[in-house]
Amino acid sequence: MTRRATAFFSALEALLVVAAGAGVPLTVLTVMWAVQFEFQIDLIDLWKAGAIIWMLGHGVAVTIQLDAETVALLGLDGAGDPFTITLALTGFLLITALLGVRLGRRLREHPHRIIGELVAVTGVVGLSALIQWLVTNPGATPEPVQATLFPGLVYGLGLAIGSIGATNPARVRLRAEWARIPAPVRGVAGVVVRAGVAGVATVVAAGALLTTIALFVGFTDVIALYEGVQAGVLGGIALTLGQLALLPSMVIWTTSYLVGPGFALGAGSSVSPLGVSLGPVPAIPALGALPPPDFAPGFLVLLVPVVASFVAGVMLRERLLGVLGPDRRPEGWAALAGVLAGVVAGAVMAALAVLASGAAGPGRLALVGPDPVELGLWMLVIAAIATPLGLLAGGAKQVVAERLSASR
C-alpha cells in the first residue's frame, strides 16, 4: 500500500472513530426528538448535547449555565450559578482507546506505519476541534484545549499500546539504552512492574464482580428508581446507556471500597467499609445498588487487595530467582522488589481514581468518586506489605517441598 493510500485510510479510520463514539448519543437523542419530543424542540440543540456528552466521555471539562426554568425544576443548591462537570463518562474513553489498539495492531508491520498513526491521531484531533467549535454555546462550554486534544491523546495511547512490538528508530534506541542497564536490575524492574500491575488488575476484577453482584442484589431498588424517574421507554434507554458509559467508573468506585478509603457521592458523603453516609443524591437507578447505611463489613474487605498482592508475589518469585541467578541471596531483593511493586500499584490505582472522579454537578455534587491520593496511598501500603511476603513465602513453599521430597 502506498503512502497516499495509507494516509487516506488512516484519515477514514479517524472519521469512523469519532463517528462511532459521538454517534451513540446523537442517534439516541435523534430518536427521542422524533418519538418522545414529537419534533417540538430544536434538533441542533440535541445534537450539540450529544457531542458534549461524547466530550465528557474523554474527560473534557464542560462549564454549564442553566436557565431559570431548569434551575427551578431541579431545586439544587448552586444550580443557578455556572458550574463545571469534570466526571468522565469513561465508557466513551474506553471505546476510543480500544479502537486505537485495533488500528495499532493492524499497522504494526505496515511499511508506512508512522504515517498512518500520525494521520489517524491528527484526524481525531482535527475533528475534535471542529466539533468543539460547532457545539460551544452559552449554556454549555467545553474547555477548548481539552476538547481538542483529549480524544486524540486517548486514541494515541491506544495506538501506542496496539503497536507494541513494532520496530522504529526511537524504539531501537530505547532498547539499546535499556540493554546497557545490568541484567539483574532489568529483570527485577520487570518483576516489580508485573507484580504491581497484576495486584491492581486482580483487585479491579474483584471490583467488577462485586459491582455485578450489587446490581443483581439491589435489582428491586434499581427498578424502583427507574419507575420514579418516569422517563418513558426511550428516556429509560437513554438513561441506561448513560449508566453504561459510567459503568467503568463505578467499577473503580467499588475497587476503592475494597481497598479501604471508599468513595464519595457528594461533599460530606462517604461510602466505605465502615459505613454509608449519604445526603441527597441524583436519582440514578444504578445507585440503588449502594449498600445500606447499616452495612459495615469493616476492614475485612481489605483481604481482597492483600490476597491479590500476596498471590502476585508468590507467582513471580520464580521469575525473580531466574533473573537474579544462583549467586545472589533472594531475600533482600524480594523485599526491595515487593516494596517497589507497592509503589507501582499505588501509582496505577491513583491514575484509575483520577479517571473515575470529578465534579458531576453544582453544589455538593462537585465531589464524586474516590480521592486519588488517598486511594493510591492505601494501595501502596497494602501492596508494599503483602507483595514482599508473597515473594518470600514462595521460597518457604519451595523449601518445604524439598524437605518433604527428601524425607521420602
Side-chain angles (χ1 to χ4, degrees), residues 313-335:
V314 172
M315 299 299 292
L316 288 167
R317 178 178 171 83
E318 292 301 322
R319 180 181 288 272
L320 180 64
L321 293 177
V323 300
L324 291 177
D327 299 331
R328 288 185 172 86
R329 293 181 60 84
E331 288 77 12
W333 285 96

Side-chain angles (χ1 to χ4, degrees), residues 32-48:
M32 290 181 66
W33 168 74
V35 177
Q36 188 159 336
F37 299 128
E38 298 180 345
F39 312 104
Q40 297 298 313
I41 61 177
D42 192 347
L43 178 60
I44 299 300
D45 289 340
L46 284 179
W47 282 357
K48 288 182 178 180

Side-chain angles (χ1 to χ4, degrees), residues 9-19 119-124 127 155:
F9 283 109
S10 295
L12 182 60
E13 185 79 19
L15 178 61
L16 293 175
V17 167
V18 175
V119 170
V121 173
T122 304
V124 172
L127 290 170
Y155 189 59

Side-chain angles (χ1 to χ4, degrees), residues 266-356:
S269 67
S270 175
V271 181
S272 76
L274 297 180
V276 178
S277 175
L278 294 176
V281 296
I284 298 176
L287 297 183
L290 289 172
D294 58 348
F295 181 76
F299 291 122
L300 181 66
V301 299
L302 293 182
L303 286 175
V304 175
V306 168
V307 171
S309 299
F310 181 84
V311 172
V314 172
M315 299 299 292
L316 288 167
R317 178 178 171 83
E318 292 301 322
R319 180 181 288 272
L320 180 64
L321 293 177
V323 300
L324 291 177
D327 299 331
R328 288 185 172 86
R329 293 181 60 84
E331 288 77 12
W333 285 96
L336 176 62
V339 172
L340 293 178
V343 175
V344 171
V348 173
M349 193 65 82
L352 293 175
V354 169
L355 293 176

Side-chain angles (χ1 to χ4, degrees), residues 75-76 86 91 115 158 161 169 177 181 199 207 219-220 265 280 320 337 374 387:
L76 295 175
T86 59
I115 293 176
I161 295 173
E177 293 299 325
I181 300 174
F219 182 75
T220 302
L265 286 174
L320 180 64
E374 189 176 7
T387 307

Side-chain angles (χ1 to χ4, degrees), residues 120-399:
V121 173
T122 304
V124 172
V125 170
L127 290 170
S128 300
L130 177 62
I131 292 174
Q132 181 272 327
W133 177 71
L134 291 173
V135 304
T136 298
N137 63 82
T141 306
E143 205 288 325
V145 176
Q146 294 182 5
T148 300
L149 296 181
F150 278 14
L153 290 175
V154 172
Y155 189 59
L157 177 62
L159 273 172
I161 295 173
S163 63
I164 290 176
T167 57
N168 59 54
R171 283 185 176 152
V172 170
R173 288 195 298 270
L174 183 61
R175 288 169 184 169
E177 293 299 325
W178 178 251
R180 294 182 181 181
I181 300 174
V185 176
R186 286 187 279 120
V188 171
V191 171
V192 166
V193 173
R194 284 182 173 87
V197 173
V200 171
T202 304
V203 181
V204 172
L209 178 61
L210 181 58
T211 302
T212 304
I213 294 173
L215 288 170
F216 179 78
V217 173
F219 182 75
T220 302
D221 293 331
V222 171
I223 295 300
L225 284 172
Y226 266 110
E227 293 174 347
V229 172
Q230 296 181 351
V233 176
L234 287 177
I237 293 174
L239 185 59
T240 301
L241 290 175
Q243 291 174 103
L244 288 175
L246 192 60
L247 186 59
S249 295
M250 293 180 180
V251 170
I252 303 303
W253 299 354
T254 308
T255 302
S256 183
Y257 183 91
L258 293 175
V259 174
F263 58 94
L265 286 174
S269 67
S270 175
V271 181
S272 76
L274 297 180
V276 178
S277 175
L278 294 176
V281 296
I284 298 176
L287 297 183
L290 289 172
D294 58 348
F295 181 76
F299 291 122
L300 181 66
V301 299
L302 293 182
L303 286 175
V304 175
V306 168
V307 171
S309 299
F310 181 84
V311 172
V314 172
M315 299 299 292
L316 288 167
R317 178 178 171 83
E318 292 301 322
R319 180 181 288 272
L320 180 64
L321 293 177
V323 300
L324 291 177
D327 299 331
R328 288 185 172 86
R329 293 181 60 84
E331 288 77 12
W333 285 96
L336 176 62
V339 172
L340 293 178
V343 175
V344 171
V348 173
M349 193 65 82
L352 293 175
V354 169
L355 293 176
S357 60
R364 62 190 303 275
L365 292 179
L367 181 61
V368 173
D371 181 83
V373 175
E374 189 176 7
L375 178 56
L377 288 176
W378 275 73
M379 190 66 201
L380 186 156
V381 172
I382 292 173
I385 295 174
T387 307
L389 293 176
L391 288 168
L392 295 171
K397 182 182 70 173
Q398 183 178 359
V399 170

